[in-house]
Amino acid sequence: MPDYHDDLRLGHVLADAADSTTMERFKALDLKVETKPDMTPVSEADKAAEELIRSSLQRARPRDAVLGEEFGSEGSGPRRWVIDPIDGTKNYVRGVPVWATLIALMERGEGGDRPVVGVVSAPALGRRWWAAEGLGAYTGRSLSSASRLAVSKVNNLSDASFAYSSLSGWEERGKLNGFLDLTRSCWRTRGYGDFWPYMMVAEGSVDICAEPELSLWDMAATAVIVQEAGGRFTGLDGMPGPNSGDAAASNGLLHEAMLEYLRS
């Protein structure tokens, strides 16, 4: 099995640099915000953080390809870094601390590209999570000061905590009835949104979560963290990994039961 220790250390270095850039502009009164063609916001901090990560990767991993939310795809090859400079930009621009930089390394294999390293850093929350294939998933302040993550053991939906982002996406895709039926079957539902529900699944504090429309940069880092914590990460079609354009994550024990509702 490949050794991803060096890539994981690099992921932390990139996250440290991004955290400094994003926190410097968080809650700034003169923060510049634009609207992208898809009607989602992008701030100057999004662009600055991605540019910083890209320039660092160009020096440290010049042969690797890069895909980022703000500046697209660059390079080719079997290794590709996937970046979301600020996941939760709407929170960021409103001063809500629930946002994070997502950094993943994907590697090509027989079954297609799969995430092998993931770092999720939420500096305004004072939290960071990370994982690498075969090395487990962790949370803490640094590589040397960390706790290992493990998903929950809840095996009945009636005892499960379900996290989601919003109702509108499910309604737009004609899946609202199945979504609502799932919420009625669960013990607890909360709309935490963005990266956070996946990290709580990995920690074992939430049992299932799902979103109906996502991009690769939203999912690559969170997928490997959930999987290395012992959980499952698939599309709503049940295909493993972050390549389906939507996501379902769980402790594994509840995955098929969740998908049965969300497919209807």
Side-chain angles (χ1 to χ4, degrees):
M1 179 176 290
D3 186 343
Y4 296 109
H5 282 94
D6 287 345
D7 295 311
L8 186 57
R9 280 191 286 268
L10 175 59
H12 277 271
V13 171
L14 298 174
D16 288 342
D19 286 355
S20 296
T21 298
T22 53
M23 285 300 291
E24 183 179 353
R25 300 299 293 154
F26 184 49
K27 295 187 178 181
L29 297 179
D30 60 344
L31 180 72
K32 296 177 182 177
V33 183
E34 304 170 8
T35 301
K36 296 191 287 189
D38 64 359
M39 303 306 294
T40 60
V42 58
S43 73
E44 61 182 276
D46 291 81
K47 295 180 177 180
E50 184 168 325
E51 287 175 335
L52 179 62
I53 293 171
R54 283 177 177 269
S55 63
S56 298
L57 285 171
Q58 183 58 42
R59 293 191 298 271
R61 297 289 189 276
R63 296 182 180 180
D64 292 351
V66 180
L67 171 67
E69 179 176 10
E70 308 308 334
F71 298 108
S73 183
E74 181 180 0
S76 60
R79 287 166 48 99
R80 177 172 60 163
W81 294 85
V82 180
I83 305 159
D84 190 343
I86 299 179
D87 182 54
T89 299
K90 292 177 182 177
N91 283 344
Y92 184 90
V93 301
R94 291 296 303 270
V96 178
V98 183
W99 51 270
T101 295
L102 278 53
I103 300 168
L105 172 63
M106 298 191 72
E107 199 165 79
R108 192 165 302 154
E110 292 181 2
D113 291 355
R114 71 189 192 285
V116 294
V117 171
V119 178
V120 173
S121 190
L125 294 175
R127 297 294 310 275
R128 184 176 291 185
W129 303 262
W130 63 90
E133 187 176 82
L135 300 179
Y138 297 85
T139 185
R141 295 191 175 276
S142 67
L143 282 166
S144 60
S145 177
S147 302
R148 188 155 187 167
L149 300 176
V151 296
S152 74
K153 303 294 186 183
V154 174
N155 59 8
N156 290 306
L157 282 178
S158 59
D159 299 322
S161 179
F162 172 39
Y164 61 94
S165 287
S166 69
L167 294 177
S168 59
W170 299 101
E171 186 172 23
E172 290 165 4
R173 284 153 194 83
K175 295 179 178 291
L176 183 59
N177 288 339
F179 171 84
L180 291 175
D181 286 343
L182 175 59
T183 66
R184 296 181 185 110
S185 298
C186 292
W187 165 64
R188 191 170 190 257
T189 59
R190 287 294 183 271
Y192 298 109
D194 300 307
F195 68 95
W196 208 6
Y198 302 95
M199 299 302 94
M200 287 191 279
V201 168
E203 290 179 337
S205 53
V206 163
D207 309 300
I208 57 175
C209 67
E211 290 182 87
E213 184 180 22
L214 293 170
S215 297
L216 182 60
W217 48 74
D218 297 312
M219 299 182 281
T222 60
V224 65
I225 294 173
V226 168
Q227 291 166 349
E228 285 295 316
R232 281 185 67 187
F233 191 106
T234 73
L236 298 180
D237 56 7
M239 292 295 293
N243 299 302
S244 296
D246 44 41
S250 76
N251 62 5
L253 301 173
L254 300 170
H255 208 82
E256 293 302 324
M258 169 176 58
L259 290 181
E260 187 173 344
Y261 280 100
L262 298 179
R263 285 171 177 155
S264 59

